[in-house]
Amino acid sequence: MPFLSTPHTSMYYDIFHSDVTLPHQDSYPASVLLIHGFGGTPESDFAAQLPALRRWYRVIAPHLHGYGRSTHRSAYALSFYRDDAADLIELLDLLAIERTLILAFSDGAIVGLLLAALYPQRIQALAAMGAQPSINSENVSAIRHWLLEKPLPEEWQEELARLHGEPYWRSLPRMYVEGQEALVQAGGIIITDEELAAIRCPTLIMHGKRDRIVPAHYVHNLHERIPDSELLLFDAGHAAHLRCEQEYTAAVMGFLSRHSTSTL
């Protein structure tokens, strides 16, 4: 099994090779880095898109710190989004990937935005859904209600156990809520306006109009501050990629195709 040791975690990752054959033997299809959200893995969050992605791209699918086969968490540090971004840069270095496309969801979309802002030379284009640049007490109340104040759906509990293992997964919701509460107490800024303005790669910002976890006003904030970004709203909640699967997949594949190039 492939693992990468970083200062923060032992990170598990998969590589799914493309079906495309390029004319030059020393050329490789463009890479797509998948960045999953809370409670997920690339294989769960992007299950419906993986077949299409694997036809045309080399897909890099890491499990972020605390999830899947990567090292378990004992807490979410204030810097955890930036730590995840740094871990992914180490993974790109290990794989000798100079530039990559990114497809990211929820917390992973926040990490994707940080990658585009802090490591602009490494990112070809970013398709991000469900991100927010800051968090407040009202947001945390919604997250607390979602994860702690009502029973999690049995189907999701079974998935969390399968992806992350018993009994560890049961500690994740409370740790996550505590981590988000700490972010609010520290000022609530996850990505600064200056960092968003520094993003120069083609960026597709997506969101569910009826998102109760990350209110939709955040997406307009992102769109306004990221130069030349595209905005796409779905008639759905936070997991719009599941409810609007065909529309989402078509939009993502079209965006990536417009901005992908083969690499040496």
Side-chain angles (χ1 to χ4, degrees), residues 87-143:
D87 290 343
L88 293 176
I89 288 297
E90 289 202 32
L91 178 59
L92 295 180
D93 289 344
L94 174 72
L95 300 177
I97 297 174
E98 294 184 5
R99 301 181 74 222
T100 186
L101 303 159
I102 293 178
L103 177 59
F105 169 60
S106 194
D107 273 8
I110 295 174
V111 176
L113 290 168
L114 285 167
L115 284 168
L118 303 177
Y119 309 92
Q121 72 281 8
R122 308 301 295 273
I123 311 305
Q124 284 178 250
L126 166 64
M129 191 178 74
Q132 60 192 105
S134 61
I135 188 168
N136 59 34
S137 56
E138 184 178 345
N139 303 151
V140 172
S141 293
I143 293 171

Side-chain angles (χ1 to χ4, degrees), residues 58-73:
R58 176 175 49 169
V59 180
I60 314 302
H63 296 189
L64 298 179
H65 181 196
Y67 304 105
R69 296 176 177 175
S70 293
T71 306
H72 290 178
R73 283 188 177 274

Side-chain angles (χ1 to χ4, degrees), residues 4-226:
L4 167 67
S5 293
T6 78
H8 313 110
T9 186
S10 176
M11 175 187 284
Y12 175 82
Y13 62 94
D14 282 310
I15 302 176
F16 302 112
H17 292 283
S18 168
D19 294 334
V20 171
T21 301
L22 295 178
H24 303 291
Q25 63 180 7
D26 57 349
S27 297
Y28 295 91
S31 296
V32 175
L33 175 65
L34 301 181
I35 314 180
H36 64 82
F38 169 80
T41 65
E43 297 89 338
S44 66
D45 278 356
F46 305 104
Q49 292 74 48
L50 267 171
L53 290 168
R54 293 177 66 175
R55 286 187 61 195
W56 300 104
Y57 302 101
R58 176 175 49 169
V59 180
I60 314 302
H63 296 189
L64 298 179
H65 181 196
Y67 304 105
R69 296 176 177 175
S70 293
T71 306
H72 290 178
R73 283 188 177 274
S74 57
Y76 286 83
L78 285 175
S79 59
F80 82 89
Y81 289 117
R82 292 169 188 264
D83 295 343
D84 285 344
D87 290 343
L88 293 176
I89 288 297
E90 289 202 32
L91 178 59
L92 295 180
D93 289 344
L94 174 72
L95 300 177
I97 297 174
E98 294 184 5
R99 301 181 74 222
T100 186
L101 303 159
I102 293 178
L103 177 59
F105 169 60
S106 194
D107 273 8
I110 295 174
V111 176
L113 290 168
L114 285 167
L115 284 168
L118 303 177
Y119 309 92
Q121 72 281 8
R122 308 301 295 273
I123 311 305
Q124 284 178 250
L126 166 64
M129 191 178 74
Q132 60 192 105
S134 61
I135 188 168
N136 59 34
S137 56
E138 184 178 345
N139 303 151
V140 172
S141 293
I143 293 171
R144 173 178 284 278
H145 180 70
W146 170 47
L147 292 178
L148 299 180
E149 293 177 351
K150 63 177 184 177
L152 300 180
E154 289 188 10
E155 183 178 350
W156 194 29
Q157 291 190 47
E158 292 172 1
E159 181 178 77
L160 290 170
R162 176 176 58 81
L163 294 176
H164 313 299
E166 287 276 14
Y168 166 70
W169 77 267
R170 298 177 184 277
S171 67
L172 279 171
R174 184 165 298 281
M175 273 196 293
Y176 184 75
V177 171
E178 290 172 352
Q180 298 297 324
E181 290 173 338
L183 279 173
V184 172
Q185 292 171 4
I189 302 299
I190 302 173
I191 311 173
T192 68
D193 288 349
E194 292 76 15
E195 288 170 335
L196 292 173
I199 295 176
R200 289 293 181 265
C201 69
T203 304
L204 173 61
I205 301 296
M206 299 174 285
H207 214 89
K209 295 177 184 178
R210 296 183 280 108
D211 193 334
R212 297 180 181 178
I213 306 302
V214 180
H217 69 81
Y218 281 119
V219 75
H220 297 286
N221 179 291
L222 293 171
H223 179 48
E224 290 170 3
R225 285 164 174 75
I226 299 174

